[in-house]
Amino acid sequence: MRYLILLLLSLSIDALTKGTQIYERSISAVVKIKSAEKTGAGVLVSKEGHLLTNYHVIKDTEKIEIFRHVSSDLDLVLEPFEILKMDKEKDLALLKLINSDTIYNFLNLSIVIPSIGSKTHAIGHPHGESWTYSLGYIAQKYENYIWRYKDGTRMIGNIYQIQNPIKKGNSGGPLLNEYGNLIGINTFISKGDEQMGYAISVKDIIEFLAK
């Protein structure tokens, strides 16, 4: 019994350590996207400052500000940017930070589609809280999944259902695997009391970036 308890404690500590390492390695590659209407997240996918987020995070906004995390004390840098392209049906957008003097930390894209039950790590800004972390797993995978937003906008894509507790403000932020590689973009939650989280798959991300 004592051996079992020690084994369980060891596994728990290992899981916590893994999450801490992924968070600390990834946090500077995750940005906060703010406007008067909403808050979301984005993830850097190149050292030149290419930035992936959801289209709905930047849709119908008057003034967008992008903040980058640069220290453990949550010191922020306001970054100038430009919008390169959008896919309004897949709910993806590609931006670029345009501070030419900066080499950005970025996250690698996974070339492996995660399996159901795989552990997942999410970073974002739920309800405006800054750079928060959550641990979960892939609950299910769907192809050509259709969802709609409150304004009636129809979206379709390859989607993961995830058990990370994401909220408004997580949209556009990264979903990471156990290696800290990007496997999805956290995108929306279901309605009702038992809210479920969903993320756009890395397959759709790769196809979008390749267009």
Side-chain angles (χ1 to χ4, degrees), residues 31-41 51 57-58 61-68 77-81 95 97:
V31 304
K32 177 181 276 191
I33 302 175
K34 292 189 66 175
S35 67
E37 298 82 8
K38 63 191 86 170
T39 297
L51 178 69
V57 170
I58 62 171
T61 53
E62 291 294 327
K63 181 183 178 183
I64 301 171
E65 294 181 323
I66 296 180
F67 295 93
R68 187 168 55 90
V77 172
L78 179 63
E79 294 279 358
F81 70 95
L95 287 60
L97 306 185

Side-chain angles (χ1 to χ4, degrees), residues 61-109:
T61 53
E62 291 294 327
K63 181 183 178 183
I64 301 171
E65 294 181 323
I66 296 180
F67 295 93
R68 187 168 55 90
H69 178 280
V70 294
S71 81
S72 59
D73 296 323
L74 287 181
D75 289 337
L76 306 181
V77 172
L78 179 63
E79 294 279 358
F81 70 95
E82 59 183 348
I83 298 173
L84 298 182
K85 61 178 179 177
M86 300 176 289
D87 188 327
K88 298 179 181 180
E89 188 178 52
K90 297 282 188 181
D91 200 9
L92 289 169
L94 183 67
L95 287 60
K96 188 176 186 301
L97 306 185
I98 52 176
N99 186 344
S100 59
D101 296 329
T102 302
I103 298 175
Y104 295 98
N105 183 35
F106 67 97
L107 299 181
N108 292 312
L109 271 69

Side-chain angles (χ1 to χ4, degrees), residues 110-123:
S110 173
I111 59 172
V112 178
I113 304 296
S115 302
I116 294 172
S118 299
K119 285 184 180 179
T120 53
H121 307 263
I123 302 173

Side-chain angles (χ1 to χ4, degrees), residues 2-188:
R2 182 182 177 188
Y3 172 78
L4 179 60
I5 293 171
L6 289 173
L7 178 62
L8 290 173
L9 285 172
S10 176
L11 291 173
S12 297
I13 292 169
D14 181 65
L16 288 171
T17 302
K18 189 78 170 180
T20 300
Q21 290 173 345
I22 288 173
Y23 177 78
E24 291 178 347
R25 190 166 64 240
S26 306
I27 185 172
S28 62
V30 181
V31 304
K32 177 181 276 191
I33 302 175
K34 292 189 66 175
S35 67
E37 298 82 8
K38 63 191 86 170
T39 297
V43 54
L44 287 159
V45 292
S46 80
K47 66 180 180 180
E48 293 82 16
H50 292 89
L51 178 69
L52 194 64
T53 188
N54 287 128
Y55 165 67
H56 78 259
V57 170
I58 62 171
K59 177 188 176 186
D60 299 331
T61 53
E62 291 294 327
K63 181 183 178 183
I64 301 171
E65 294 181 323
I66 296 180
F67 295 93
R68 187 168 55 90
H69 178 280
V70 294
S71 81
S72 59
D73 296 323
L74 287 181
D75 289 337
L76 306 181
V77 172
L78 179 63
E79 294 279 358
F81 70 95
E82 59 183 348
I83 298 173
L84 298 182
K85 61 178 179 177
M86 300 176 289
D87 188 327
K88 298 179 181 180
E89 188 178 52
K90 297 282 188 181
D91 200 9
L92 289 169
L94 183 67
L95 287 60
K96 188 176 186 301
L97 306 185
I98 52 176
N99 186 344
S100 59
D101 296 329
T102 302
I103 298 175
Y104 295 98
N105 183 35
F106 67 97
L107 299 181
N108 292 312
L109 271 69
S110 173
I111 59 172
V112 178
I113 304 296
S115 302
I116 294 172
S118 299
K119 285 184 180 179
T120 53
H121 307 263
I123 302 173
H125 316 289
H127 297 304
E129 299 295 341
S130 298
W131 283 274
T132 72
Y133 165 87
S134 66
L135 174 66
Y137 56 89
I138 301 287
Q140 190 52 272
K141 300 185 290 186
Y142 303 101
E143 293 185 355
N144 299 316
Y145 188 91
I146 296 172
W147 71 99
R148 287 180 169 83
Y149 292 117
K150 288 182 179 179
D151 63 0
T153 304
R154 177 184 182 274
M155 303 289 181
I156 183 169
N158 296 306
I159 293 296
Y160 312 133
Q161 180 189 333
I162 58 174
Q163 290 301 313
N164 299 71
I166 62 171
K167 303 291 183 182
K168 291 181 179 180
N170 279 106
S171 291
L175 187 71
L176 308 172
N177 63 15
E178 284 285 85
Y179 301 100
N181 294 329
L182 185 67
I183 56 170
I185 294 294
N186 301 313
T187 299
F188 67 98

